């Protein structure tokens, strides 16, 4: 003989995955300044600025994507 129990049961929604700490790092408040204004210095400084920008943009876009995934996971 088999007994079947039925009741209203609610299961909690799955927890959203945690956001990676690396995505929560702020972008630098200040960029390296030009030192002497020579062509070589300008090129190196601009390359440094571009590197800072790309690292920050990558983190920002990763954070946006993680938050969008959390929103989609909500019922």
């Amino acid at each position: 003989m088999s007994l079947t129990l039925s009741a209203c049961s609610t299961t909690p929604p799955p927890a959203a995955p945690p956001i990676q700490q690396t995505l929560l790092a702020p972008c630098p408040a200040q960029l390296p300044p030009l030192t002497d204004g020579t062509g070589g210095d300008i090129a190196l400084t601009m390359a440094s600025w571009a590197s800072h920008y790309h690292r920050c943009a990558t983190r920002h876009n990763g954070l946006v994507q993680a938050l969008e995934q959390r929103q989609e996971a909500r019922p």
Side-chain angles (χ1 to χ4, degrees), residues 6-69:
S6 65
C8 293
S9 68
T10 57
T11 56
I19 294 177
Q20 297 174 16
Q21 290 296 315
T22 55
L23 298 178
L24 300 175
C27 295
Q30 292 184 333
L31 295 173
L34 288 171
T35 54
D36 61 15
T38 61
D41 178 53
I42 292 171
L44 290 174
T45 302
M46 290 182 72
S48 175
W49 291 350
S51 177
H52 283 289
Y53 170 79
H54 289 291
R55 282 194 305 266
C56 184
T58 300
R59 280 194 311 268
H60 173 76
N61 291 339
L63 180 58
V64 168
Q65 184 178 22
L67 292 173
E68 286 174 346
Q69 289 173 352

